[in-house]
Amino acid sequence: MSQVFSQETHRNLLARIPHCTGREVSDWLRTVDEGPALFRFEEKVSWLRHEHNLAYGHAKAIIHEYDLRRAARKLL
């Protein structure tokens, strides 16, 4: 079972991603958008981890943010 992050933890992880990975969150979101058409959350996290050598927490935060932004676009 995957761990659930609080909103504060999610924000903190996002803030650390540029320092830890050398890439901005927007770059990672674009990478996910241009990546393979995976449907399940954990598949996307696994792809990011293995394809781009990310830590689990960072990959999960990126995919969670990607899904949040995608859902927000659908509401507009």
Side-chain angles (χ1 to χ4, degrees):
M1 183 171 181
S2 65
Q3 64 190 82
V4 176
F5 297 140
S6 70
Q7 288 182 358
E8 181 181 359
T9 301
H10 177 67
R11 285 191 305 272
N12 289 338
L13 278 168
L14 286 180
R16 291 181 45 99
I17 285 172
H19 173 73
C20 294
T21 67
R23 291 176 62 184
E24 294 296 321
V25 172
S26 59
D27 292 338
W28 285 113
L29 297 175
R30 193 169 23 263
T31 297
V32 173
D33 199 42
E34 295 169 354
L38 302 170
F39 296 103
R40 292 182 42 231
F41 183 87
E42 287 298 329
E43 288 176 325
K44 295 175 193 176
V45 171
S46 182
W47 172 76
L48 263 185
R49 289 183 68 211
H50 297 292
E51 188 71 23
H52 298 281
N53 200 29
L54 290 177
Y56 176 75
H58 292 144
K60 184 173 177 178
I62 290 166
I63 297 302
H64 182 63
E65 185 67 18
Y66 178 82
D67 288 348
L68 286 174
R69 292 184 186 195
R70 195 169 126 214
R73 285 193 307 259
K74 287 183 179 180
L75 292 175
L76 296 178

